[in-house]
Amino acid sequence: MGLTISKPNVYRDWNESSYGLSNGILGINCRHSAGFFVPGKSTFNPVKYDESANAERYKQEQKQRRYERELRKTKRARNIARDLGDEDETRRLNQKARLQSQRLREHIAEHDLRRSKVRERPMDKPVVVTIASNNQIEARNPADGTGAGIYTGYAKLTKRQQKLDAMLPESGKRITINKRDIKMKDLSALTAKNGCEYAVFTKGGQRILARGSSTNAMVSTEYLENLAKDGWRFSGHTHPGVGHVVRMSSQGDKNVLKLFKQKQSVIYDSVGGFDVFDSEGGNHENR
């Protein structure tokens, strides 16, 4: 009579694994594959990659992602300009998008990368569904808090922006807050919602946020002179509307810059586009 010696099973039962869960093995974005393994027979022969070549390819792929983001951003701005009937801005952004697209294609060809046209298309109504856990799904709109999203009616203010909005219920009001509690692009979101100018002044870790009217920031020359004497800087302000023409600096903007003895400041529009301007009248278009 033969004697059979059984060895203890050192492998977990597959049914006890995370297989079948969205964040488990072979789940969403998992790139593993399943295959047969025979103890004592199967060998593991991983493919060896050139680390320097792999690092270089990663660098070029990240550059491709950046080019794609910039192209999508331009296309979104172009679509907004087109919807608003701004033909000059639409033509300008179309030309910019063509140049960015050409740059992207040349980069892909030069480094033998894989092109994805989906990543080059703007989303007019972006909604992302994030799986927070195995049984909880949370919907998030990445356009929330952006001037473009609010201006086109696809999004809303963030909770932080809503708090700022509540603290400035009408034109002519000003508040002093911590610098970390407001970003410059929050101005575009507030302008998109209320259709009025906002101005920001910075000193150390503090900022003054002023709400103006549809045509000016409603801060007196005397008040500005006192700010300048106390060491505040004119960080930037908004002009309601969309496009480079809207972001052109006025003589009043230049006078304020001279009063603060600054070389430059920035003007944002309602969708997050901005231009840098100087006290001599120059506008340096950014996007």
Side-chain angles (χ1 to χ4, degrees):
M1 182 176 66
L3 181 64
T4 302
I5 301 176
S6 62
K7 295 183 179 180
N9 185 8
V10 296
Y11 302 103
R12 291 177 55 191
D13 192 311
W14 180 256
N15 293 326
E16 297 176 0
S17 72
S18 60
Y19 178 71
L21 300 178
S22 60
N23 59 349
I25 188 169
L26 302 183
I28 297 174
N29 290 331
C30 177
R31 297 187 179 182
H32 289 88
S33 59
F36 290 103
F37 177 81
V38 180
K41 299 294 183 181
S42 300
T43 58
F44 179 56
N45 298 309
V47 178
K48 295 183 179 180
Y49 295 96
D50 185 319
E51 292 187 5
S52 60
N54 188 57
E56 177 62 23
R57 183 172 181 83
Y58 175 78
K59 177 182 176 181
Q60 299 306 329
E61 286 179 343
Q62 292 305 300
K63 192 172 184 179
Q64 179 187 359
R65 297 290 93 78
R66 176 165 62 85
Y67 285 167
E68 290 165 347
R69 288 194 299 271
E70 292 173 355
L71 177 58
R72 291 196 303 270
K73 191 169 191 176
T74 299
K75 287 182 176 179
R76 283 196 297 269
R78 177 204 60 194
N79 292 347
I80 291 172
R82 183 180 58 203
D83 292 343
L84 293 173
D86 190 337
E87 296 181 0
D88 291 339
E89 184 73 356
T90 300
R91 281 194 294 270
R92 185 187 71 81
L93 291 171
N94 261 331
Q95 176 63 19
K96 184 176 180 180
R98 282 194 291 269
L99 293 175
Q100 289 176 328
S101 181
Q102 179 182 350
R103 178 184 64 175
L104 174 60
R105 292 194 303 270
E106 290 174 352
H107 179 73
I108 291 173
E110 180 182 356
H111 299 283
D112 193 26
L113 303 174
R114 183 167 55 184
R115 183 182 181 186
S116 173
K117 292 186 178 181
V118 173
R119 289 197 295 262
E120 300 173 22
R121 300 172 189 160
M123 292 181 64
D124 291 331
K125 296 184 179 181
V127 175
V128 173
V129 175
T130 304
I131 297 179
S133 65
N134 294 331
N135 56 5
Q136 181 181 4
I137 296 181
E138 175 185 350
R140 178 176 61 87
N141 185 354
D144 283 350
T146 65
I150 295 167
Y151 191 79
T152 54
Y154 296 153
K156 60 184 179 181
L157 296 175
T158 63
K159 290 183 178 179
R160 178 170 53 81
Q161 292 168 347
Q162 291 174 19
K163 183 177 179 181
L164 293 172
D165 190 35
M167 295 169 71
L168 293 169
E170 58 188 29
S171 299
K173 295 291 185 180
R174 297 187 293 268
I175 56 172
T176 302
I177 54 179
N178 288 326
K179 185 177 180 180
R180 65 175 180 271
D181 291 334
I182 183 171
K183 300 177 182 178
M184 292 303 297
K185 286 197 173 183
D186 291 335
L187 273 65
S188 288
L190 293 170
T191 295
K193 177 181 180 293
N194 298 316
C196 57
E197 290 193 14
Y198 286 84
V200 168
F201 306 89
T202 305
K203 178 183 177 182
Q206 288 188 312
R207 275 183 167 165
I208 294 174
L209 175 61
R211 174 173 175 170
S213 67
S214 60
T215 56
N216 65 77
M218 296 183 67
V219 284
S220 67
T221 301
E222 181 181 0
Y223 180 76
L224 293 173
E225 288 175 345
N226 289 332
L227 288 183
K229 289 178 182 178
D230 290 340
W232 289 82
R233 288 184 57 81
F234 181 31
S235 299
H237 68 295
T238 59
H239 286 175
V242 180
H244 178 59
V245 174
V246 168
R247 301 191 299 265
M248 292 292 290
S249 56
S250 66
Q251 187 57 52
D253 296 334
K254 300 163 193 171
N255 291 340
V256 173
L257 206 55
K258 290 178 181 178
L259 191 152
F260 279 83
K261 297 180 180 179
Q262 291 179 215
K263 292 183 178 180
Q264 294 180 330
S265 188
V266 65
I267 300 175
Y268 280 83
D269 63 16
S270 298
V271 297
F274 68 90
D275 286 352
V276 176
F277 73 99
D278 57 49
S279 58
E280 300 304 320
N283 262 63
H284 313 290
E285 186 175 357
N286 285 273
R287 54 184 178 181

